[in-house]
Amino acid sequence: MRFVSTLSPEKPVSFTEAILTGLAPDGALYYPEYMPNLSDFFWNLPGEIPFNELASNFTSALLSPEIDPVIAGKIVQDAFNFRPVLKKLSDDISILELFHGPSLAFKDFGASFLASAMNLLLGKQERRAIILTATSGDTGGAVAHAFHKKANIDVVILYPSGRISPFQEKQLTTTGGNVFALEVRGEFDDCQRLAKAAFNNPKLKKLPLTSANSINIGRLFPQSFYYIWAWIQMRDKGDPTFVVPSGNFGNLTAGLYAEAWGLPTGGFVAATNANDVVPEFLLTGKYRPKPSVPTYSNAMDVGSPSNYERLEKLFSGNIDIFRQHIKAWSIDDETVLKTISKVYQNHGYLCCPHTAVGWKAAELFKEQYPNSQVLVLSTAHPAKFLDTVKRATGIVPNLPKSSADIMQRKKIAHCINACDEDLAEWLIQNFN
Ligand SMILES: *Cc1c(COP(=O)(O)O)cnc(C)c1O
């Protein structure tokens, strides 16, 4: 399979090229050149197949001969020492926990696969890369852990000083080694501007700068693995409807790709917080991006979802096809608190505010489609959003053992001003 720009489909590139460059030369996102039908592959998967075996078989089924079974196996083995976990909380609503990776959020699946794939493919070509990325908080931790100790790659993370949570700051400043944290005296927008300017700075042209942001197809593609894995666990009782807490709509796009490649599903529910461009679009037929508003589920505070471009392409911009594949609800903060509390009272289960947005949307979906089997994707560990969970339930969720000592680890970060020259100078000093 090759990949084309959503804007100019005439120049397909390999998977390697697409993940090493991130964006197409015309600035648009990469998109599969065609959608193969792998439905026989899906039905022939054994019920007990381990997650990594599924991930590696599927990768080579889709990307061979470029990524053959041996390379696929190596990438997957290196990427995933964590798994999705399926929990049946009631007769007809289940939860798919995607937060058992190092940063305790589902982004670990995409970031880890991209890091392993980039590292291996760079090594084959005897090339190196420097990942330069700006974070508003959550992505930084996933990227730091995913790329830590990758031999062919260095990572530079720009984050806004004092604007991310202490836990998030520890996640991205304590790995050390090939991961460098730059604390920027400014806001997230400054960090993004600095990164952009560095990519365009002629003085830095000799550095192998690249990005690992969420629109990279190498982060999106591996997110299809857990939809397939969950379907295998549930297929005997009917195809599940996937409820996806959404912000930039990367996670949902990955599920829709799996469906386009032949995975049977009961459809998708896009669950958003007050940032409701997509639910509003499905209701009115008008797509109107707007500035984001802050909510408890802050990893979904997105007013202009970057993957909309891919959805539009997938559904040929046809609102009726959109509506056939996706139902959508927007859930407000008040309801999120009530939902966290209710899920805890009824099921003894603590969920993060993003997952609660999904749970409530699942309930609303069930009111209209009572016979469906619903699976809510749980995107973050509740302990990452301790204040909100405590406020809703009075209970302080425990961090898993792997992160329990994180607040005691030593922060290593270099402070810079929000100025292009400061960043350029730092990069030249450290990587020349
Ligand atoms: C990033 C994120 C989301 C939103 O995922 P998208 O792919 O951007 O739609 C939801 N929940 C959590 C915890 C996240 O970190």
Side-chain angles (χ1 to χ4, degrees):
M1 172 182 283
R2 294 184 303 172
F3 297 86
V4 292
S5 149
T6 54
L7 281 181
S8 44
E10 53 284 336
K11 284 204 204 90
V13 300
S14 64
F15 182 69
T16 305
E17 176 70 15
I19 70 167
L20 292 182
T21 51
L23 276 180
D26 60 9
L29 308 192
Y30 278 118
Y31 186 87
E33 188 183 17
Y34 69 100
M35 297 293 188
N37 188 339
L38 296 177
S39 83
D40 285 348
F41 171 89
F42 293 132
W43 282 108
N44 287 330
L45 288 165
E48 301 292 307
I49 191 167
F51 180 75
N52 277 13
E53 201 177 317
L54 161 69
S56 125
N57 290 358
F58 180 62
T59 300
S60 57
L62 201 76
L63 299 174
S64 65
E66 184 186 354
I67 310 289
D68 65 27
V70 176
I71 304 179
K74 277 189 190 159
I75 295 173
V76 163
Q77 222 42 47
D78 182 47
F80 304 130
N81 62 0
F82 52 92
R83 309 273 174 272
V85 174
L86 186 77
K87 290 198 172 145
K88 195 167 164 52
L89 289 200
S90 77
D91 280 346
D92 42 18
I93 303 189
S94 300
I95 289 256
L96 185 64
E97 293 182 348
L98 300 174
F99 53 70
H100 297 285
S103 82
L104 309 182
F106 84 93
K107 292 192 176 70
D108 286 325
F109 282 94
S112 291
F113 184 92
L114 176 66
S116 299
M118 260 192 185
N119 193 43
L120 203 120
L121 300 170
L122 283 167
K124 277 175 73 182
Q125 303 182 356
E126 297 187 30
R127 283 166 67 186
R128 297 188 51 76
I130 302 167
I131 307 265
L132 181 62
T133 187
T135 182
S136 59
D138 232 29
T139 314
V143 168
H145 284 278
F147 287 89
H148 187 217
K149 295 187 177 162
K150 294 285 181 267
N152 303 305
I153 308 175
D154 291 304
V155 182
V156 180
I157 300 174
L158 302 167
Y159 73 96
S161 181
R163 307 281 175 114
I164 67 176
S165 79
F167 180 81
Q168 288 172 328
E169 183 172 39
K170 289 286 186 179
Q171 279 196 318
L172 61 92
T173 57
T174 59
T175 46
N178 62 329
V179 178
F180 302 87
L182 293 185
E183 181 173 2
V184 177
R185 298 185 188 96
E187 305 178 30
F188 172 59
D189 292 337
D190 295 312
C191 298
Q192 262 191 323
R193 183 176 46 79
L194 287 182
K196 258 206 180 131
F199 285 114
N200 294 324
N201 186 337
K203 275 195 249 161
L204 300 174
K205 277 285 176 267
K206 51 187 183 247
L207 298 182
L209 291 180
T210 182
S211 84
N213 55 21
S214 61
I215 50 170
N216 193 308
I217 195 85
R219 278 180 61 175
L220 196 98
F221 162 68
Q223 290 174 8
S224 62
F225 302 157
Y226 43 75
Y227 287 92
I228 304 167
W229 184 82
W231 171 79
I232 299 173
Q233 321 301 311
M234 299 177 74
R235 65 186 169 191
D236 291 346
K237 285 179 253 99
D239 302 326
T241 300
F242 296 100
V243 182
V244 190
S246 294
N248 266 320
F249 285 76
N251 208 3
L252 182 71
T253 303
L256 288 161
Y257 279 6
E259 188 186 49
W261 295 327
L263 185 75
T265 78
F268 294 84
V269 174
T272 75
N273 56 30
N275 296 281
D276 62 352
V277 226
V278 169
E280 200 190 274
F281 165 63
L282 292 172
L283 197 66
T284 64
K286 295 205 175 66
Y287 184 69
R288 275 194 295 237
K290 42 194 169 190
S292 64
V293 294
T295 72
Y296 291 139
S297 47
N298 57 22
M300 312 194 316
D301 294 347
V302 179
S304 177
S306 50
N307 281 289
Y308 176 75
E309 185 178 322
R310 287 193 172 113
L311 294 180
E312 199 178 24
K313 180 99 180 157
L314 184 64
F315 300 137
S316 314
N318 181 325
I319 181 74
D320 295 324
I321 307 183
F322 259 101
R323 286 177 179 144
Q324 276 161 27
H325 288 263
I326 310 173
K327 308 276 176 273
W329 277 274
S330 150
I331 311 295
D332 64 43
D333 267 354
E334 204 50 44
T335 310
V336 162
L337 288 183
K338 279 193 201 132
T339 304
I340 297 176
S341 156
K342 219 174 83 187
V343 172
Y344 181 64
Q345 277 166 18
N346 295 347
H347 306 287
Y349 186 81
L350 286 175
C351 68
C352 86
H354 310 77
T355 308
V357 167
W359 184 277
K360 183 66 198 179
E363 288 184 340
L364 294 169
F365 177 80
K366 290 290 299 181
E367 284 174 15
Q368 290 186 11
Y369 303 89
N371 297 322
S372 52
Q373 252 216 107
V374 176
L375 183 65
V376 180
L377 274 59
S378 176
T379 50
H381 193 286
K384 268 193 112 166
F385 298 88
L386 199 135
D387 293 342
T388 311
V389 174
K390 185 172 170 221
R391 188 164 177 174
T393 62
I395 292 181
V396 181
N398 286 324
L399 278 170
K401 275 203 205 81
S402 56
S403 310
D405 71 339
I406 191 163
M407 298 313 288
Q408 277 78 55
R409 289 181 213 159
K410 189 170 157 34
K411 162 182 163 182
I412 305 171
H414 180 79
C415 251
I416 64 167
N417 291 320
C419 133
D420 299 353
E421 282 314 304
D422 273 25
L423 174 60
E425 204 171 289
W426 187 90
L427 286 169
I428 288 169
Q429 265 175 21
N430 283 273
F431 294 111
N432 247 359

